[in-house]
């Protein structure tokens, strides 16, 4: 049985990772977030309640599960305290949460600079969540960042804060933006340290200890592979690598531990923010899918752009991340369309491309090569097994497997935990053991 499971988004984020991660998280001994920060927005629904998670791992609802915010994340302590207080108000008080002492810490100037860089780009803006993710990762790699563990040593934190402010205030002045005052930031971060200090530790050794045991460990990705800083639609990407390939560095473990990768894919595609999107739909079908699938950003509320399932992207991300199975999400949303389509290639300047080009300028010139299939009208939301699906829906699932070369392991037919059809045997064993 696979015990070290990675769940990643395989498109442009918002694939429904929250639901599927929660589904596996409640059966995991440990859940680890390894990249990104509160730019993510997971919605989890169960027992008639809906919860939104931003940076906290999805295992938080199960008191038995150890949750880890690992070193590859960018952590905003203000946001963590806020998320925990919202959870507390909803009755979630019994949890285990650990935060890496080596994780980059989001500071108040990061979101200010995020907004300023976006404004400076005019029409070429990325459409970031303005949570300071890019500026925080930039500071990490420029080696002027602060880390969560610094909060545990007030004198060292003060030294690092002074050094960072020296550089950051100069930058803010040059952009005509207000500077940050040392005393104010220091005092607030010391208050945050009071709240979170007990959770901050060396999480890599915690995870490695668990790996040597017999427990089931889930590595929870955020965003989606096409937003990857290296392999995504650059520059319209986030500043980390959502792939399974970033688990070892982002969690502080060896790559040999990973034994199963689930790629979460919507049965169609969506995207928020700017950037080319070859299968994008602009007609009434986009509107219908958006409304039926509630396709509005969890973090920003922005309407999501809608397109057909893109097998060019799926093959590409499947290969990059070593995806073993798809979790095919929001499958019920496609009911009621006369026809459905899958993009199997990109036509570009007389060629048919089988994988995305490296520049967005070329990607913007790509036209999708679509195969059209018969739609279905049945409501799938109460269906409990693959066998119950109408023939046209089954044909659509099989076509996705055929054109991507990767089997579908899970089908989701609604937001609730109960609306999940698990087809793959090894994933079923993970859930039932
Ligand atoms: P950033 O991650 O806030 O820097 O935003 C960069 C790009 O990634 C923007 O297009 C965002 O809309 C997108 N993005 C970041 N996080 C998510 C997510 O969790 N889901 C979908 N898109 C995201």
């Amino acid at each position: 049985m696979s015990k070290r499971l990675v769940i990643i988004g395989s498109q442009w984020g918002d694939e429904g990772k929250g639901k599927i991660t929660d589904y596996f998280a409640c059966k995991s001994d440990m859940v680890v977030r390894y990249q990104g920060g509160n730019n993510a927005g997971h919605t989890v629904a169960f027992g008639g309640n809906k919860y939104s998670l931003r940076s906290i791992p999805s295992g938080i609802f199960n008191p038995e599960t150890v949750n880890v915010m690992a070193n590859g994340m960018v952590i905003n302590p203000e946001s963590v305290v806020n998320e925990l207080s919202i959870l507390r108000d909803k009755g979630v008080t019994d949890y285990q949460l650990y935060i890496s002492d080596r994780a980059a810490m989001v500071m108040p100037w990061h979101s200010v600079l995020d907004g300023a860089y976006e404004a400076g780009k005019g029409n070429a803006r990325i459409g970031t969540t303005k949570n300071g993710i890019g500026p925080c990762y930039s500071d990490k790699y420029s080696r002027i960042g602060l880390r969560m563990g610094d909060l545990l040593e007030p004198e060292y934190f003060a030294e690092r804060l002074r050094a960072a402010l020296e550089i950051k205030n100069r930058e803010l002045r040059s952009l005509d933006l207000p500077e940050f005052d040392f005393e104010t930031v220091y005092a607030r971060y010391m208050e945050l340290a009071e709240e979170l200090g007990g959770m901050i530790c060396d999480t890599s050794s915690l995870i490695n200890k668990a790996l040597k045991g017999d427990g089931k460990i889930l590595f929870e990705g955020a965003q989606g592979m096409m937003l990857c800083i290296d392999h995504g639609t650059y520059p319209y990407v986030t500043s980390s690598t959502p792939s399974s390939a970033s688990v070892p560095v982002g969690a502080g473990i060896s790559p040999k531990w990973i034994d199963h990768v689930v790629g979460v894919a919507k049965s169609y595609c969506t995207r928020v923010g700017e950037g080319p999107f070859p299968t994008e739909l602009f007609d009434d079908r986009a509107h219908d899918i958006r409304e039926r699938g509630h396709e509005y950003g969890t973090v920003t509320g922005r309407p999501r752009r809608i397109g057909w399932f893109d097998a060019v992207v799926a093959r590409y991300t499947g290969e990059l991340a070593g995806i073993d199975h798809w979790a095919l999400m929001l499958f019920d949303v496609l009911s009621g369309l006369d026809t459905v389509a899958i993009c199997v290639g990109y036509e570009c300047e007389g060629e048919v491309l089988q994988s995305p080009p490296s520049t967005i300028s070329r990607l913007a010139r790509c036209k999708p090569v679509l195969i059209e299939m018969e739609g279905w009208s049945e409501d799938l939301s109460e269906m409990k097994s693959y066998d119950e699906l109408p023939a046209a829906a089954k044909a659509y699932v099989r076509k996705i497997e055929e054109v991507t070369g990767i089997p579908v392991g899970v089908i989701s037919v609604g937001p609730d935990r109960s609306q999940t059809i698990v087809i793959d045997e090894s994933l079923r064993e993970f859930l039932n053991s």
Side-chain angles (χ1 to χ4, degrees):
M1 180 185 73
S2 308
K3 286 199 162 171
R4 290 60 163 103
L5 189 65
V6 182
I7 297 186
I8 56 161
S10 65
Q11 297 160 331
W12 281 275
D14 307 318
E15 297 90 349
K17 282 183 308 294
K19 168 187 163 163
I20 215 69
T21 311
D22 163 68
Y23 194 69
F24 284 89
C26 62
K27 297 299 171 93
S28 300
D29 298 296
M30 179 179 267
V31 180
V32 182
R33 271 268 323 252
Y34 57 90
Q35 47 77 227
N38 65 339
N39 47 347
H42 284 178
T43 308
V44 174
F46 59 89
N49 284 319
K50 247 187 179 185
Y51 305 86
S52 280
L53 295 176
R54 302 281 297 271
S55 50
I56 290 178
S58 299
I60 202 75
F61 304 105
N62 181 1
E64 310 298 319
T65 304
V66 175
N67 290 277
V68 180
M69 300 171 70
N71 58 280
M73 290 187 73
V74 283
I75 298 176
N76 184 333
E78 200 81 69
S79 168
V80 177
V81 165
N82 194 31
E83 265 180 87
L84 288 174
S85 111
I86 294 171
L87 287 172
R88 202 166 34 243
D89 290 347
K90 291 198 167 194
V92 182
T93 49
D94 191 9
Y95 54 77
Q96 300 182 59
L97 179 63
Y98 296 94
I99 299 173
S100 170
D101 50 8
R102 285 150 171 94
M105 182 156 61
V106 177
M107 302 302 293
W109 50 85
H110 289 137
S111 52
V112 175
L113 288 171
D114 200 349
Y117 296 156
E118 281 286 271
K121 286 178 186 145
N123 286 341
R125 69 182 180 280
I126 291 165
T128 73
T129 60
K130 303 222 177 97
N131 283 309
I133 305 300
C136 184
Y137 273 119
S138 298
D139 280 359
K140 167 176 171 170
Y141 288 103
S142 301
R143 289 150 294 174
I144 52 168
L146 288 97
R147 310 205 294 182
M148 291 303 291
D150 301 352
L151 292 177
L152 303 180
E153 289 182 54
E155 277 176 30
Y156 179 65
F157 174 70
E159 197 184 303
R160 296 287 302 162
L161 179 60
R162 273 204 182 86
L165 278 176
E166 185 76 33
I167 297 166
K168 290 291 140 182
N169 275 339
R170 211 178 309 140
E171 187 179 357
L172 289 163
R173 265 198 307 276
S174 76
L175 294 165
D176 283 332
L177 290 166
E179 295 177 34
F180 283 89
D181 163 58
F182 170 85
E183 295 301 339
T184 314
V185 179
Y186 180 82
R188 179 63 192 143
Y189 273 67
M190 283 299 105
E191 278 169 14
L192 294 165
E194 289 262 307
E195 300 218 33
L196 299 177
M199 302 175 194
I200 300 172
C201 63
D202 173 1
T203 54
S204 164
S205 51
L206 193 73
I207 302 167
N208 276 294
K209 204 161 150 204
L211 283 166
K212 285 175 198 135
D214 201 29
K216 293 183 287 184
I217 303 183
L218 174 61
F219 296 94
E220 171 182 1
Q223 291 84 44
M225 282 290 297
M226 293 309 281
L227 293 172
C228 170
I229 185 81
D230 276 76
H231 302 288
T233 42
Y234 191 88
Y236 295 103
V237 292
T238 189
S239 297
S240 66
T241 299
S243 175
S244 53
S246 88
V247 171
V249 177
I253 63 162
S254 156
K256 69 184 179 206
W257 286 112
I258 298 171
D259 55 24
H260 200 121
V261 182
V262 172
V264 187
K266 263 181 193 159
S267 322
Y268 45 93
C269 273
T270 61
R271 160 155 220 189
V272 282
E274 311 302 323
F277 180 16
T279 67
E280 186 163 10
L281 283 165
F282 298 96
D283 55 20
D284 286 351
R285 291 173 298 182
H287 176 264
D288 289 353
I289 293 175
R290 183 178 302 114
E291 294 311 309
R292 264 207 306 275
H294 310 292
E295 294 294 0
Y296 293 88
T298 319
V299 176
T300 58
R302 290 179 286 181
R304 295 180 184 140
R305 298 156 68 195
I306 312 284
W308 291 126
F309 185 88
D310 189 335
V312 178
V313 161
R315 283 194 297 263
Y316 176 69
T317 59
E319 192 167 273
L320 287 168
I323 292 172
D324 294 296
H325 284 98
W326 298 119
L328 202 57
M329 309 304 290
L330 291 113
F331 197 43
D332 54 306
V333 172
L334 287 184
S335 291
L337 295 168
D338 293 338
T339 55
V340 286
I342 296 174
C343 167
V344 291
Y346 291 162
E347 205 181 300
C348 188
E349 291 139 3
E351 267 183 275
V352 176
L353 309 181
Q354 296 301 324
S355 62
S358 73
T359 63
I360 48 158
S361 106
R362 192 141 195 247
L363 186 62
R365 296 197 295 278
C366 288
K367 302 264 169 297
V369 179
L370 296 173
I371 45 173
E372 262 201 3
M373 301 180 69
E374 197 190 324
W376 56 90
S377 55
E378 292 86 342
D379 175 10
L380 311 184
S381 61
E382 298 295 319
M383 297 194 176
K384 300 281 176 242
S385 72
Y386 175 78
D387 291 339
E388 283 178 62
L389 297 177
K394 279 184 186 150
Y396 185 76
V397 172
R398 292 297 165 227
K399 186 55 85 180
I400 284 178
E401 294 182 322
E402 180 194 321
V403 297
T404 61
I406 297 170
V408 171
V410 181
I411 298 175
S412 173
V413 291
D416 203 81
R417 279 179 185 167
S418 62
Q419 296 168 297
T420 315
I421 301 171
V422 182
I423 305 173
D424 176 65
E425 197 45 47
S426 62
L427 293 175
R428 250 207 299 252
E429 276 178 33
F430 185 100
L431 293 162
N432 294 333
S433 66

